[in-house]
Amino acid sequence: MDLPHEPALRAIGTTAADFERDLVSNLYFERGTTMESASTQDVYQSLAVTVRDRLVDRRARTATAHQAANPRCVYYLSAEYMLGRQLRQNLLYTGTEDVARDVLKGLGLSLEEVADYDVEPGLGNGGLGRLAACLLDALATADIPAVGYGIRYDLGLFRQTIVDGAQVERPDDWAFDGSPWEFPQQDDRQPVGFYGRVVEVAGRRRWIPEETVLGEPSHLLVPGYGTQTVNIVRLWRARADSDAFDLADFAAGRSAEAVQEVVRSENISKVLYPADSTEFGRELRLKQQYFLVSCAVWDIVRRFHLRNSDWAAFADKNVIQLNDTHPALAVPELMRLLIDEYELDWDTAWSITRGTFAYTCHTLLPEALETWPVALFERLLPRHLEIVYAINQAHLDEIESRFPGDVELRRRLSLIQEEPERRVRMAHLAVVGSHAVNGVAGLHTRLLTETTLADFARLWPDRFRNVTNGISPRRFVRLANPRLAALISEQLGGDGWLTDLGRLAALAPLADDADFQRRWRAVKRDNKLDLAGYARAATGVRIDPDALVDVHVKRFHEYKRQLLKLLHVVTLHDRLRADPRTDVPRTVVFAGKAAPGYHAVKRIIQLINAVAAVVNADPAVAGRLRVVFLPDYNVSRAELIVPAADLSEQISLAGKEASGTGNMKLALNGAVTIGTLDGANIELRERVGADNFFLFGLDAAQAAEMRRGDYRPGELARADPELAAALDAIAGGRYGAGFGDVLDSVLGRDEYLTVADYRSYLDAQDAVAAAWSDPDRWTRMSILNAASCGFFSADRTVADYRDRIWRADPVRVPPR
C-alpha cells in the first residue's frame, strides 16, 4: 500500500472549543483522570501536552522540509542551556495564550496558577547557557536548520538556599515530576567508551575501550516565533549497560557493591560542572566533556548519512559551533571516526574536520582556558591523545615552515603545555581545529587577538572575527515584561519589533513626552510591586516600589566585583547614619550563584547577607537603604528582577568580561547602566549615548598597566577615608565577626583592582543619585536605553554568525 507523505496526526484545531477538547482528552488519556478529580498538577501536565501537540505538528513538517532541502545545518555544542520555563513561551509561540487562559477560566483555574507548576530545566548556570538558549530561539525564528547538543543533567547545577547567610547547595531535581516537554528516545542509545588501549589492526590504529556507558538521547522542541520552524535541542543522559548491576553481590547482601558500576556510569550526567578540586572530580569533568562530544559527533555523522554519502560534502552540509572549550574534544573525536571507523586518509579527514568546526571563545581569564593533565587524558582517552599529538606535530611543522627557528613561538602555540606539568590546551585545540574563531564583543575580540590568542591571530589573521552577543526580546520583554511589551506594541502599532528590534528606535522621540513618561514609570512601578511581593515572601525584606532599585545580578566571581558593590553599600550605610539626606531612597538587590568549590566568593555572599541583616534592621537608615539577596538565581528569577530594575550594575574590571548579556537584558527593559568600559558595555554605551550611561573606572589598558606596576592597594585604601572606614567597619565586626579573609583579598594583591576603582565608582553613584532625583530626566534616560537596544537582539547575532561563519540558508516550513 502507498504510505502518506506525512505521518497521520491527531486533529489539532485552532478554536477555543478545539483546545478545550484536546485539553480534556489529554487529561483523560495522558493523566488517567477527569476534571472532577484532577489536581492542578494534572491540569498543568495536560495543558503542556496540549500545547506541545501543536509544536509536534510543526516539528514533523520541519523535519519533512529539511529532508527535502538537504540544507547546511548548524550544530551547536554547549555544556549549558538555560532555557527557562517552557509553558508561557510555547503558548506565545503557538498563539494559544489567550485561548488557554479562557479555557482554564471556564474550568475555574487561572493560567498563572497553572503556570506556577512549570519547572525550569536545570541545564545551565550563567551567561554561557542563556546565550545558547537565545541563539537556538533566534535560529528557529530565522528558519535556519539547527540542532543544539548538550547533556541532560539529572540535578543541574544546584538549587541555592541561604542558611545563616551562607550559600548551601541542594540538589535541583528539576524533572522529579516528569517533564512534559521532553521526548526520551531510549531506542537511540549510543555506546561511549573510556580507558582501554590502542591496538594495530591491518595497519590501522584501533581503540579498545575498557569501560562503556550508554548515551541515551531525549530532545526538547525549540520553536521559532512567527514561523512554522521547530528545531530541537538534543540532550544526552548517561546510562549503565544492562549487565552493570551485579546480581551476585545483591543476593549476598552487598547492595552498595551491586550498584557501584551503575552509579559510576550514571554519575557522568548527574550534575553540571562537578567540582574539580579532587582527582575524582577532574576525571568526571573530562568524562562528561567527552561523553557529550562522542554522542553529538556520532549523531551528526548519522544525520549526514541520512541524506548524503559523499564525505567531500560533509563540511558543506554541516557546521559545528563549539560554545567555549568544553566541547573541544569534538575535534579529535571527529578525526577518530573519520580515520579509524570510516578509514579516510589523514589529510582528507583533517580538511573535513577543520572545514566543519567553528569556535566561540567566551573568556579572557587564563584559568578559564581549560587544560587537562596529559596523564589523565592518556588514561581516559588514549587514542584521542595520539590524534592530538599528530595534530600538534603537523601544526608545529607549519609554524616552523613559516617562522623558522622560532622555538619560543612553537612553545607558546603548541597544543601541549610542557611546564610545570604536561597538559593538553583545549583552547589551542579548538583554534587549530576550526576554520573560524570568534569573540563575543568588540573589545573582547580585540583583546583575544592582541593578548590571549595573539600568536594564533598572527598566524591566521583571517580566521578571527567578532560576533557580539545578543538576547531574545521574546523571552526578556514579551514574556518577562508583558506590561512594557504592551506599551511598546501600542506605540509602534503592533508587535513586529519582537523580530525586528531595531524598530524600538521609534520610541526615542517619545523620551520627552510627558504622558509617555508617566505611562513608562507606571509600568516600572507595577513591576517593582511584583518583585517586592516575591522578595517579601522569599526573604522577608520589604522593597519600596518608589525607591531606586539597584541590581547586581549575575554569576558570582571575583572579577564581576560584587565586593565593590558591597563596599558602596557599607559606605552608604555610614553616610546615611551621619546624614539621612546623603542619598536617594535605594534598594540594592543581589542575586547569583557561586561555584560550590569557589570559597572566596561564597564568603562574599555570606558577607552580603551579614551586611543586609544589619542595614535592614538599622532604624537610622529605615526608608533610605535596603539590601536583599534573592536566592537561587535563574531565568525565572531574572524575569522578575530585570523588569523591575532601575540601575544595572555592570562593574567588572575592564578587560575581564567577554561580553555580558545581563547588561543587554536590563537596558532593554529600561534600566540605566553604571559600568566600566568592559565587554559589551562599550557597544551599549556607544548606542545609548554617554549621557545615558554612568561610566567609571579604569579602562582595559589602564587596568593592565596598573597590574604590571607597583600597585599597593593597602596604602591606597588607607588614603581614602571613606574606603578605610568601610573596611574598618567590616573588620571591626559591625556586620559580624570573621570576615578578615574577604578583606585580605582587597588589601593584599587585589587581583581585580577593587580599591583602584572604588573612588571613581562612588563618584558615579553620586551622579546616579542626582539623576534619580529628577524623575523626568531619569525616565528620559530609561526610555532612551530601551530605544537604543535594537542591536543587541539575538536575531542580529544569528544573522552575523550566518553571514560571517555559518553560511547557512533558511529553509521555509510551509503551513499545515
Side-chain angles (χ1 to χ4, degrees):
M1 62 178 290
D2 292 333
L3 295 177
H5 181 64
E6 291 189 356
L9 299 172
R10 71 178 73 179
I12 298 174
T14 58
T15 68
D18 294 327
F19 194 90
E20 182 172 0
R21 179 203 62 221
D22 294 342
L23 173 61
V24 174
S25 175
N26 284 322
L27 193 66
Y28 187 79
F29 289 106
E30 298 285 340
R31 300 295 291 179
T33 188
T34 63
M35 277 306 306
E36 290 74 18
S37 58
S39 67
T40 309
Q41 173 75 7
D42 289 327
V43 175
Y44 158 70
Q45 293 278 347
S46 301
L47 174 61
V49 171
T50 303
V51 177
R52 188 191 72 185
D53 286 345
R54 283 143 176 83
L55 294 179
V56 169
D57 175 34
R58 292 186 187 180
R59 175 59 195 166
R61 288 183 281 110
T62 300
T64 299
H66 291 177
Q67 179 71 23
N70 192 16
R72 181 172 172 84
C73 190
V74 176
Y75 295 107
Y76 200 81
L77 271 61
S78 179
E80 298 184 40
Y81 291 95
M82 288 194 73
L83 299 171
R85 293 182 177 185
Q86 297 292 287
L87 178 60
R88 296 297 291 268
Q89 173 179 293
N90 291 339
L91 284 165
L92 173 64
Y93 283 35
T94 55
T96 55
E97 184 175 12
D98 291 339
V99 172
R101 186 182 300 280
D102 290 343
V103 168
L104 290 174
K105 184 178 180 181
L107 300 174
L109 294 167
S110 71
L111 178 57
E112 288 70 26
E113 180 184 0
V114 174
D116 278 344
Y117 283 79
D118 200 30
V119 177
E120 182 171 328
L123 304 173
N125 173 33
L128 185 79
R130 187 53 231 174
L131 174 71
C134 284
L135 293 189
L136 289 185
D137 175 276
L139 277 160
T141 299
D143 291 317
I144 295 175
V147 177
Y149 285 101
I151 294 178
R152 197 269 194 201
Y153 303 103
D154 292 341
L155 301 175
L157 182 68
F158 57 83
R159 182 169 51 85
Q160 181 194 55
T161 58
I162 302 299
V163 178
D164 296 329
Q167 171 180 293
V168 175
E169 299 91 22
R170 309 285 191 200
D172 178 18
D173 198 352
W174 61 276
F176 181 80
D177 291 316
S179 171
W181 308 109
E182 185 178 20
F183 291 88
Q185 295 173 296
Q186 293 93 338
D187 59 340
D188 232 357
R189 292 180 180 133
Q190 164 67 12
V192 180
F194 299 101
Y195 311 108
R197 67 190 192 281
V198 181
V199 299
E200 193 89 18
V201 178
R204 288 188 172 271
R205 306 288 285 171
R206 290 288 186 272
W207 178 29
I208 311 298
E210 178 184 308
E211 177 182 303
T212 299
V213 302
L214 298 175
E216 180 179 285
S218 63
H219 69 257
L220 303 175
L221 302 176
V222 182
Y225 178 78
T227 182
Q228 295 293 303
T229 295
V230 175
N231 291 326
I232 62 170
V233 56
R234 195 157 164 86
L235 305 169
W236 299 84
R237 181 181 185 182
R239 301 298 297 269
D241 186 272
S242 58
D243 293 332
F245 184 84
D246 194 317
L247 280 172
D249 274 339
F250 189 79
R254 296 186 294 271
S255 57
E257 291 84 349
V259 299
Q260 63 183 359
E261 287 304 313
V262 175
V263 172
R264 177 183 171 89
S265 295
E266 298 186 357
N267 273 344
I268 292 172
S269 58
K270 190 63 67 178
V271 298
L272 170 64
Y273 300 148
D276 58 359
S277 55
T278 65
E279 183 64 24
F280 168 79
R282 286 188 289 274
E283 182 169 306
L284 184 56
R285 270 210 191 187
L286 186 55
K287 269 189 166 183
Q288 196 175 75
Q289 292 184 6
Y290 177 63
F291 173 78
L292 167 59
V293 304
S294 176
C295 294
V297 171
W298 167 82
D299 201 53
I300 292 167
V301 170
R302 178 187 66 83
R303 288 171 180 270
F304 171 73
H305 282 149
L306 291 176
R307 298 186 287 261
N308 307 275
S309 58
D310 185 359
W311 282 111
F314 190 85
D316 293 328
K317 294 296 183 182
N318 307 292
V319 57
I320 302 176
Q321 189 73 37
L322 304 176
N323 192 29
D324 220 358
T325 55
H326 309 116
L329 282 168
V331 173
E333 175 66 359
L334 181 58
M335 285 295 292
R336 185 187 71 83
L337 288 179
L338 295 178
I339 61 179
D340 292 2
E341 302 298 329
Y342 293 98
E343 300 187 347
L344 273 65
D345 64 86
W346 178 274
D347 290 342
T348 299
W350 184 237
S351 176
I352 291 170
T353 297
R354 184 176 270 185
T356 299
F357 284 103
Y359 164 49
T360 301
C361 182
H362 283 278
T363 188
L364 293 167
L365 301 178
E367 66 269 22
L369 294 175
E370 285 186 309
T371 63
W372 292 105
V374 165
L376 171 60
F377 204 112
E378 184 173 34
R379 183 171 75 252
L380 194 66
L381 303 167
R383 178 57 178 146
H384 295 77
L385 185 62
E386 290 184 348
I387 293 171
V388 168
Y389 281 154
I391 292 171
N392 194 41
Q393 187 59 56
H395 168 54
L396 295 179
D397 289 347
E398 179 184 352
I399 296 169
E400 178 62 24
S401 69
R402 292 181 57 182
F403 304 96
D406 195 336
V407 176
E408 181 60 22
L409 181 64
R410 283 165 50 91
R411 182 191 66 79
R412 292 198 306 270
L413 287 179
S414 175
L415 304 189
I416 307 299
Q417 169 190 304
E418 297 293 341
E419 295 176 346
E421 176 189 31
R422 298 192 78 231
R423 301 178 74 92
V424 181
R425 294 163 163 163
M426 304 306 286
H428 288 205
L429 176 61
V431 173
V432 172
S434 297
H435 68 276
V437 179
N438 73 280
V440 291
L443 173 66
H444 175 244
T445 300
R446 178 171 67 79
L447 292 177
L448 275 183
T449 59
E450 293 177 356
T451 58
T452 310
L453 299 176
D455 290 322
F456 284 107
R458 176 186 171 198
L459 188 65
W460 300 307
D462 294 340
R463 194 171 296 188
F464 288 80
R465 55 212 71 177
N466 178 64
V467 181
T468 298
N469 284 344
I471 59 172
S472 168
R474 277 82 65 183
R475 170 66 70 170
F476 287 105
V477 185
R478 175 58 181 82
L479 291 171
N481 198 346
R483 296 184 184 99
L484 183 61
L487 178 60
I488 292 172
S489 293
E490 179 184 333
Q491 292 299 319
L492 299 186
D495 60 4
W497 59 274
L498 287 173
T499 51
D500 182 6
L501 202 58
R503 296 187 187 186
L504 291 185
L507 296 176
L510 298 170
D512 292 308
D513 182 277
D515 183 63
F516 189 71
Q517 283 199 353
R518 177 187 58 78
R519 298 175 68 192
W520 189 273
R521 283 194 292 267
V523 165
K524 182 67 75 172
R525 191 178 192 279
D526 285 344
N527 291 337
K528 289 184 185 181
L529 287 171
D530 289 345
L531 177 63
Y534 176 80
R536 176 72 170 161
T539 69
V541 178
R542 294 181 181 273
I543 292 179
D544 177 3
D546 295 314
L548 172 72
V549 174
D550 176 354
V551 307
H552 194 310
V553 291
K554 56 187 74 234
R555 178 173 59 91
F556 266 70
H557 194 289
E558 287 171 288
Y559 87 82
K560 295 180 184 289
R561 300 203 294 193
Q562 283 93 350
L563 186 55
L564 176 59
K565 179 68 221 172
L566 187 62
L567 288 171
H568 172 236
V569 169
V570 174
T571 299
L572 280 181
H573 191 204
D574 279 338
R575 287 180 176 182
L576 290 167
R577 280 153 54 100
D579 181 358
R581 299 166 298 176
T582 299
D583 195 52
V584 296
R586 184 187 301 244
T587 297
V588 178
V589 178
F590 289 95
K593 296 179 180 180
Y598 199 168
H599 298 293
V601 289
K602 289 176 75 172
R603 291 285 290 150
I604 293 173
I605 289 176
Q606 195 167 2
L607 179 56
I608 288 171
N609 282 295
V611 170
V614 172
V615 168
N616 296 340
D618 188 345
V621 298
R624 308 296 295 180
L625 181 62
R626 285 287 182 272
V627 183
V628 58
F629 184 97
L630 294 178
D632 206 31
Y633 188 61
N634 55 18
V635 177
S636 301
R637 303 290 177 274
E639 290 171 354
L640 266 172
I641 298 169
V642 167
D646 294 306
L647 184 66
S648 166
E649 299 275 351
Q650 307 300 326
I651 62 176
S652 55
L653 175 63
K656 294 299 179 184
E657 185 73 80
S659 167
T661 54
N663 46 6
M664 304 170 191
K665 299 176 187 107
L666 285 155
L668 180 58
N669 281 270
V672 183
T673 303
I674 182 170
T676 54
L677 291 176
D678 195 28
N681 283 357
I682 295 173
E683 289 153 282
L684 180 63
R685 182 171 179 263
E686 288 172 353
R687 284 168 171 80
V688 306
D691 292 341
N692 302 305
F693 185 108
F694 296 100
L695 177 66
F696 78 95
L698 303 168
D699 64 23
Q702 292 167 335
E705 181 64 28
M706 179 164 282
R707 286 154 59 93
R708 286 192 296 266
D710 185 23
Y711 175 53
R712 299 181 181 181
E715 293 181 11
L716 193 61
R718 285 190 291 273
D720 188 313
E722 286 194 304
L723 178 55
L727 295 171
D728 288 345
I730 296 171
R734 181 195 295 171
Y735 306 106
F739 290 108
D741 55 328
V742 179
L743 300 182
D744 289 345
S745 69
V746 174
L747 298 175
R749 188 180 178 190
D750 192 20
E751 176 73 12
Y752 300 108
L753 305 185
T754 297
V755 171
D757 273 352
Y758 169 84
R759 179 48 52 187
S760 176
Y761 179 56
L762 257 66
D763 291 343
Q765 288 285 1
D766 290 342
V768 167
W772 179 259
S773 298
D774 182 346
D776 290 345
R777 178 189 171 195
W778 186 274
T779 306
R780 181 179 190 277
M781 296 171 71
S782 175
I783 294 168
L784 289 175
N785 265 264
S788 305
C789 277
F791 175 78
F792 298 107
S793 170
D795 301 320
R796 189 272 314 153
T797 302
V798 159
D800 285 351
Y801 271 111
R802 182 190 63 216
D803 295 341
R804 300 173 188 177
I805 298 174
W806 295 337
R807 307 186 318 278
D809 295 324
V811 175
R812 305 297 178 189
V813 178
R816 184 167 185 256

